[in-house]
Amino acid sequence: MARQTLYTADATVTGEGRKGHGKTNDGRLEVDLSVPAGVGGDDGPGTNPEQLFAVGYGACFHGALRKVARESKTEIGESTVDAQVGLGKSEEGLDIAVDLTVTIAGVDQATAEKLVETAHQVCPYSRATRGNIEVNLTAKAG
């Protein structure tokens, strides 16, 4: 099946990679980058790729969750996605793992679990990372 591109994010990073500067071509995002102390940096000003990935994955997953709730005609209340992206060492080198904790008000635990699992099947970040990194899901009825 051919993919039809609906949107393309365009960003440029300069400097020394994790100790550089990133910005999007439209000027909507511009950040200094720093290396966390846990991986040999100094926790200087700026963000890091893991924080950016956590926000991106969390936002994408949250959108997928709200979409699957709407499509299944499941009324939900407030919802949150807490995303943790861990950078660690493996036999292959550095890698990441993700923990997503999803809290959904207005539903029982079984419904929360079903919605989270369905969102995981349709979320573009989940589909892109499936089989490549560890992703742990926790659903909580709120």
Side-chain angles (χ1 to χ4, degrees), residues 55-107:
V55 170
Y57 200 161
C60 188
F61 197 92
H62 202 202
L65 172 72
R66 305 295 290 189
K67 179 179 191 258
V68 299
R70 262 190 326 276
E71 289 178 351
S72 67
K73 297 185 180 10
T74 303
E75 291 291 325
I76 64 174
E78 292 292 317
S79 56
T80 60
V81 177
D82 293 309
Q84 295 180 314
V85 175
L87 179 65
K89 289 183 180 181
S90 70
E91 294 169 357
E92 292 83 29
L94 292 176
D95 60 18
I96 60 173
V98 176
D99 292 312
L100 298 176
T101 302
V102 184
T103 304
I104 309 168
V107 298

